[in-house]
Amino acid sequence: MTADRRLRASAAWFRLLLWCYPADFRELAGDDVVEAYFDRARVAALRGTGSLARVWIAALSDAIRNGLGERFAPAASWRRGGNWGRDLELVRRRLARAPMFVVATIATLAIGLGIFAVVAATVDKVLLEPLPYRDSRDLYIVQERVGGEAGSTVLSGAVVAALSQAGGIIDGAAGMQTNPLSMPAGPNTEAMTFRGMQASPNLFDLLGVRPALGRVLRANETGPSAPDVIVLTDSLWQRLGADRSLVGRAINIGTRSFTVIGVLPPGFRFSAIATVEDVEAYIPLYADLAAEKPYIHDYRALLRVRRGTSPDAVRAAIQNVTRPLAALDNHNGRGMTLEPVGLQASLVDDVRPVLVALGFTVVFLLLVLTLNLASLLLTRATDREREFAVSRALGASGSAVVRATLLEGAILGLAGGAIGALLGNWSTQLLVAMAPVDLPRRDAIALDGRLAVLVIAAGAVLGLIAAAAPAVWASRMSLGSLLATSAVRGGVTSGRLRRGLVTVQVALCLVLVSVAGLLVHSFQQLLMARPGFNAAGVLTLSLSQGSWLFPAETAVYAFQDRVETALRKLPGVTAVGMTTTLPMAGGTNVAGVSVPGAPGNTGDRNRDEPAVDRIFVRPGYAEAIGMRLVDGSDFDRVRRGDGEVLIDQYLARQFFPAGSPIGATLVNEDKMLTIVGVVEQPRMYWLHKDGRPQVFVRAGDFDDRRPSYLVVRTAGDPRALVPVVQKTIHDLDRRVPISSVKTLTDIVAERRSRERISAVMIGALAAGALLLVAMGLVGVIAGSVTRRRGELAVRLALGATHRRLLRLVVGEGAMLVCIGLLIGAPGVYAVGGVLRGLLVGISPLDPPTLLAVAAVFTAIAIVACYVPATRVLSIDPAPLLRQE
């Protein structure tokens, strides 16, 4: 074959390969590609057939690789997509020419959406996502109410037994009781203390959980004759070495040997009981619940009802089953009722108001963020008026302008949403680390893929919404108006729209800042609340003294005497006491009492036989906890069994409004108790308000009331005494598990933590909104100064001073702020109802707080107006007038 024929064949081959490319590519660049390869073939033909063959193979390889890329690559598809593809490329180029605008916009979006991601993850995981149990919405716990007052979830064994045998719509009920368990050191393990649960065998069936190894409790493994078997959680099994052969072997718990029968699946947590420590082991319930006295409350009950049963039907069924037992309870016939509470509701009701408030707050923040982004895009659109005018003059339609502007907003929103999702993920992890340990479902809070997609989608939607205002503005202006406004560097319409957006931002931000101010003031009130005890220098811990350790009551009190005597001898210890319930812990025993012959009796049984919180304590507890003794004295440490009682000042005022109750007789459960002292009420439920009246009964005056919490008051740092206190107790009896070691200051701080977290988070949201508003004001005032430079130059030429112009421009911003404050005032009033349940010691319309917030807000806004307004001081009228 001659050289000419080889070149003609090469040209035909290259044109054939063009069919690998799409038609638009062939039309635009096909001839150029053929010519380029033909030039290579001409050179290669001079070198021989082998070189020409390599050019043919290279052309084939390029055609396959690049042709398929042009046909199927997204970028190529966009380029061939007509207007949208062309617009995307133009938007990319325009954004690349404005890097500062892009960075500022994406950063603003990312911060706002990051905060939204944290709140969304918290609300979703805590309030909305079902609990990880089978049909969790059909699970209830049972709560006791006395006389309509807030009740307790601690019930009598007889009630639990009756519920478990009820039948009907109640598919089953399980009794539960938690206790600390201790494991002595072994050959390969250290001594450890963990929280265990005595549970009815059907607990796991009610929850719908299956063991990962072995089995769970069987139906006959309950009651006094139940075998010593134990089911481990995965976390405890891991701590014990994660040995599969552990199932079937015995481990020592206290002085008894328990056979491990099963291991629960990883991640399983049972949250029916509000406790800081997770339950790590389950053992049989060693009690005949039906034989328990109806007035001794030691158990909790979990119910499963038929799917779809209404709460009212569940309530009626429970009350029908337990009505005979309610008459036998120890509340003197004051209307004790049992109420079902959804398992999830029982866990999250305390934090629901805070999370709802956070949800409302983040919605306000997103509105402010959208308005701020709209203002930024509108400012950018007005800066591009000349570009719009030229585009329209060259034939671009209004829809093309709208499409380009919306696309720009969507791209910025997607980028901000993606970065916001990353920030939200990190911030959520930080929140979990900082959140109070008793926050319900704390470990479940995380930004999963579903929520991340939601955040990114929210960014795109916010970008589109924000871009709508400048898009509509630009599309509705005529070509003549665009040319005229671009000639004078901007018109009036866009300025009015920007000022309107900023005014609405001010109104929304005022609501946010007012909410934050009220919560901060409320938290200050909580810090100043008198709890009725002195938490400084107090160490608390729990001692397990169940019947499996001390079968006889006398042995329990003898051990407690030895512990208190030994601890009082330690250097720095000033007082020691024991109690069944610590302050701020709740879960007290509710009882009915009366004081026969007291002058305050009225003959009304409901008033004269009030329900009280009954706490069993040992002598010295009042001094150790720091309760103020109002009248009388503490218990005598030597005497026991004489039936002595301390009452709080509320009972004293009720029964003895003009005298002293010391020496009077108080009746409880047909026992006659002598009032020996009156104390200021230590708060058991809330730091900012009192609960039910309280009576403190000497431990030992009632059967089977063993104080388990030890309270040690020290002259120095109580944490420094922890090792010494633990050693002293174990030297007396190594079998006794020690758990829940805390200072009373830490307990109080935990009770304040939710209010602190809500104040901090909403304060951060308000600060972010305030920053956005300040940015909006700066942008409006700076844009106003830029666009009015000609007008301001004329004013200067006619005799106005720079300071007068400065006041004029600042006044414009101040007017926007004042209008925004007027618009936002009704919003502050409207959110008062949402805040009412969150505030402590102040009303939602607290005048000093709201006035202070308004003053600070106005000052910051005026500063935000003043800073860009100072640019008028640099205006020189001469060159500007010559330019005009």
Side-chain angles (χ1 to χ4, degrees):
M1 183 181 293
T2 64
D4 289 341
R5 288 183 178 179
R6 286 199 296 268
L7 290 177
R8 284 197 298 271
S10 298
W13 171 246
F14 298 146
R15 288 200 175 275
L16 179 63
L17 292 179
L18 280 181
W19 289 97
C20 295
Y21 295 88
D24 62 328
F25 183 87
R26 294 197 301 271
E27 292 175 3
L28 292 175
D31 292 339
D32 294 334
V33 171
V34 171
E35 184 176 352
Y37 280 118
F38 189 77
D39 289 341
R40 295 184 191 177
R42 187 184 295 113
V43 175
L46 300 176
R47 299 175 182 171
T49 304
S51 297
L52 184 60
R54 285 194 291 271
V55 172
W56 283 32
I57 294 172
L60 174 63
S61 175
D62 290 344
I64 294 174
R65 183 178 67 254
N66 298 328
L68 292 177
E70 283 294 325
R71 284 186 179 277
F72 302 111
S77 300
W78 268 105
R79 284 198 299 271
R80 295 193 304 276
N83 291 335
W84 282 107
R86 188 164 56 250
D87 289 344
L88 180 64
E89 184 65 21
L90 292 175
V91 168
R92 184 190 66 79
R93 293 176 183 176
R94 283 198 296 266
L95 293 179
R97 291 196 297 266
M100 295 304 296
F101 165 77
V102 172
V103 170
T105 304
I106 292 179
T108 302
L109 273 168
I111 293 173
L113 291 171
I115 297 173
F116 166 72
V118 174
V119 176
T122 305
V123 172
D124 178 69
K125 298 300 182 182
V126 176
L127 290 186
L128 304 179
E129 188 176 87
L131 296 175
Y133 312 126
R134 175 173 59 88
D135 298 330
S136 63
R137 300 192 187 280
D138 297 325
L139 292 173
Y140 291 82
I141 62 169
V142 181
Q143 176 176 273
E144 178 188 78
R145 290 184 179 272
V146 181
E149 299 179 15
S152 168
T153 57
V154 182
L155 310 174
S156 68
V159 166
V160 177
L163 291 172
S164 64
Q165 299 167 7
I169 64 171
I170 300 177
D171 284 345
M176 304 165 290
Q177 185 183 63
T178 57
N179 303 101
L181 302 176
S182 66
M183 182 182 298
N188 301 316
T189 60
E190 298 180 352
M192 62 180 70
T193 299
F194 49 88
R195 182 165 291 274
M197 176 182 283
Q198 295 185 52
S200 300
N202 62 335
L203 173 65
F204 303 102
D205 181 59
L206 295 181
L207 295 174
V209 61
R210 297 290 180 265
L213 296 175
R215 64 176 179 86
V216 293
L217 299 174
R218 290 173 177 159
N220 61 344
E221 293 175 334
T222 188
S225 60
D228 288 338
V229 294
I230 188 169
V231 179
L232 308 180
T233 60
D234 181 76
S235 60
L236 181 57
W237 180 62
Q238 296 287 344
R239 288 166 62 188
L240 294 176
D243 185 357
R244 298 177 67 91
S245 66
L246 184 61
V247 176
R249 287 164 38 194
I251 59 175
N252 293 324
I253 303 291
T255 58
R256 295 161 70 172
S257 179
F258 284 75
T259 301
V260 178
I261 59 173
V263 178
L264 297 173
F268 171 78
R269 262 187 197 86
F270 180 44
S271 305
I273 300 175
T275 177
V276 172
E277 297 91 353
D278 290 329
V279 173
E280 294 193 271
Y282 296 83
I283 61 177
L285 196 57
Y286 296 107
D288 183 356
L289 297 181
E292 294 276 315
K293 297 178 181 178
Y295 51 79
I296 296 181
H297 294 200
D298 284 331
Y299 307 96
R300 289 177 170 87
L302 176 73
L303 263 65
R304 175 172 288 282
V305 301
R306 289 180 184 172
R307 182 178 299 180
T309 304
S310 69
D312 290 338
V314 178
R315 182 180 299 107
I318 291 174
Q319 292 178 358
N320 287 336
V321 170
T322 59
R323 188 174 290 114
L325 294 171
L328 300 175
D329 212 336
N330 61 351
H331 302 293
N332 298 336
R334 293 193 68 253
M336 189 274 283
T337 59
L338 295 173
E339 298 282 339
V341 180
L343 179 58
Q344 185 157 357
S346 71
L347 295 173
V348 305
D349 275 353
D350 286 345
V351 299
R352 187 186 301 276
V354 174
L355 296 181
V356 170
L358 277 174
F360 276 111
T361 304
V362 82
V363 169
F364 272 82
L365 178 66
L366 289 180
L367 289 174
V368 174
L369 179 64
T370 305
L371 293 171
N372 184 269
L373 182 59
S375 182
L376 284 173
L377 291 174
L378 185 58
T379 301
R380 174 168 167 77
T382 53
D383 290 340
R384 293 167 52 206
E385 286 168 349
R386 185 176 183 84
E387 176 188 335
F388 287 153
V390 172
S391 298
R392 295 288 294 276
L394 294 176
S397 63
S399 61
V401 174
V402 171
R403 189 169 58 242
T405 307
L406 291 178
L407 196 54
E408 183 174 304
I411 291 173
L412 292 172
L414 282 171
I419 299 176
L422 290 175
L423 289 177
N425 184 43
W426 299 330
S427 301
T428 302
Q429 295 174 12
L430 179 62
L431 173 67
V432 171
M434 296 175 57
V437 291
D438 60 342
L439 176 65
R441 310 192 68 184
R442 175 174 176 263
D443 294 334
I445 299 174
L447 189 72
D448 55 24
R450 175 176 54 87
L451 290 174
V453 171
L454 174 64
V455 172
I456 297 172
V461 171
L462 290 182
L464 287 171
I465 294 174
V472 171
W473 166 79
S475 66
R476 295 183 63 181
M477 292 191 70
S478 65
L479 177 58
S481 299
L482 277 172
L483 291 172
T485 54
S486 65
V488 296
R489 301 192 60 166
V492 177
T493 305
S494 63
R496 288 176 180 172
L497 188 54
R498 285 200 308 277
R499 288 193 291 271
L501 292 173
V502 170
T503 301
V504 178
Q505 284 186 69
V506 170
L508 294 173
C509 187
L510 175 67
V511 177
L512 273 182
V513 175
S514 298
V515 169
L518 288 169
L519 287 175
V520 170
H521 189 189
S522 172
F523 185 63
Q524 290 175 339
Q525 295 292 106
L526 191 65
L527 291 176
M528 294 186 292
R530 288 171 51 88
F533 55 88
N534 181 10
V538 177
L539 177 68
T540 69
L541 50 89
S542 176
L543 301 178
S544 179
Q545 305 158 85
S547 57
W548 55 284
L549 281 175
F550 299 99
E553 297 295 318
T554 54
V556 173
Y557 295 123
F559 169 70
Q560 293 176 353
D561 286 339
R562 295 197 304 273
V563 169
E564 291 182 350
T565 300
L567 293 179
R568 288 191 183 100
K569 295 178 182 179
L570 296 178
V573 174
T574 59
V576 179
M578 294 193 71
T579 180
T580 52
T581 307
L582 288 171
M584 305 312 306
T588 58
N589 182 258
V590 182
V593 300
S594 62
V595 184
N601 285 331
T602 63
D604 181 356
R605 186 178 183 184
N606 285 334
R607 182 189 180 280
D608 296 345
E609 298 179 1
V612 301
D613 284 333
R614 183 175 58 175
I615 302 119
F616 297 88
V617 301
R618 286 177 57 87
Y621 171 73
E623 180 185 0
I625 210 69
M627 286 192 296
R628 187 170 67 90
L629 198 64
V630 177
D631 192 10
S633 63
D634 195 0
F635 299 123
D636 191 313
R637 287 198 178 97
V638 178
R639 298 164 59 192
R640 179 181 292 148
D642 291 342
E644 295 179 339
V645 64
L646 300 175
I647 65 174
D648 68 9
Q649 73 271 31
Y650 296 104
L651 280 178
R653 283 199 295 266
Q654 176 178 339
F655 288 107
F656 299 89
S660 173
I662 304 304
T665 299
L666 180 143
V667 179
N668 173 227
E669 290 184 12
D670 298 326
K671 292 184 180 292
M672 315 294 284
L673 304 173
T674 301
I675 300 174
V676 298
V678 179
V679 297
E680 181 180 1
Q681 183 185 104
R683 287 170 174 165
M684 305 298 296
Y685 303 97
W686 311 278
L687 278 168
H688 61 286
K689 62 180 179 180
D690 295 316
R692 278 184 291 263
Q694 297 174 7
V695 297
F696 297 87
V697 181
R698 181 205 289 271
D701 290 346
F702 283 71
D703 295 336
D704 195 26
R705 297 297 178 182
R706 307 180 179 192
S708 59
Y709 290 100
L710 182 66
V711 180
V712 182
R713 177 167 290 279
T714 68
D717 182 5
R719 294 179 183 84
L721 280 181
V722 171
V724 181
V725 170
Q726 290 178 324
K727 181 179 184 303
T728 301
I729 296 171
H730 281 156
D731 286 345
L732 295 173
D733 195 329
R734 298 196 62 83
R735 302 174 304 159
V736 176
I738 300 173
S739 62
S740 302
V741 182
K742 296 180 182 179
T743 66
L744 193 53
T745 303
D746 291 338
I747 293 176
V748 173
E750 288 174 3
R751 296 298 296 182
R752 290 174 175 150
S753 59
R754 292 177 186 174
E755 288 79 6
R756 183 182 67 250
I757 290 292
S758 63
V760 169
M761 289 190 68
I762 293 181
L765 293 176
L770 189 57
L771 177 61
L772 291 175
V773 168
M775 291 170 57
L777 286 169
V778 168
V780 165
I781 301 303
S784 176
V785 172
T786 300
R787 296 173 185 282
R788 297 172 59 190
R789 288 176 70 88
E791 172 201 338
L792 297 175
V794 172
R795 288 177 181 268
L796 287 172
L798 294 176
T801 64
H802 283 89
R803 290 188 176 277
R804 185 173 180 180
L805 295 184
L806 180 62
R807 288 196 299 270
L808 177 67
V809 175
V810 173
E812 177 185 341
M815 180 62 68
L816 296 178
V817 174
C818 292
I819 295 174
L821 291 176
L822 291 175
I823 297 174
V828 175
Y829 177 81
V831 299
V834 178
L835 287 180
R836 194 173 298 277
L838 298 177
L839 301 180
V840 174
I842 61 172
S843 77
L845 298 176
D846 184 57
T849 303
L850 295 180
L851 288 175
V853 166
V856 172
F857 181 87
T858 304
I860 293 175
I862 296 301
V863 170
C865 295
Y866 179 82
V867 172
T870 55
R871 296 171 63 180
V872 303
L873 300 177
S874 62
I875 293 178
D876 185 359
L880 283 174
L881 292 175
R882 283 196 299 269
Q883 188 177 20
E884 292 293 331

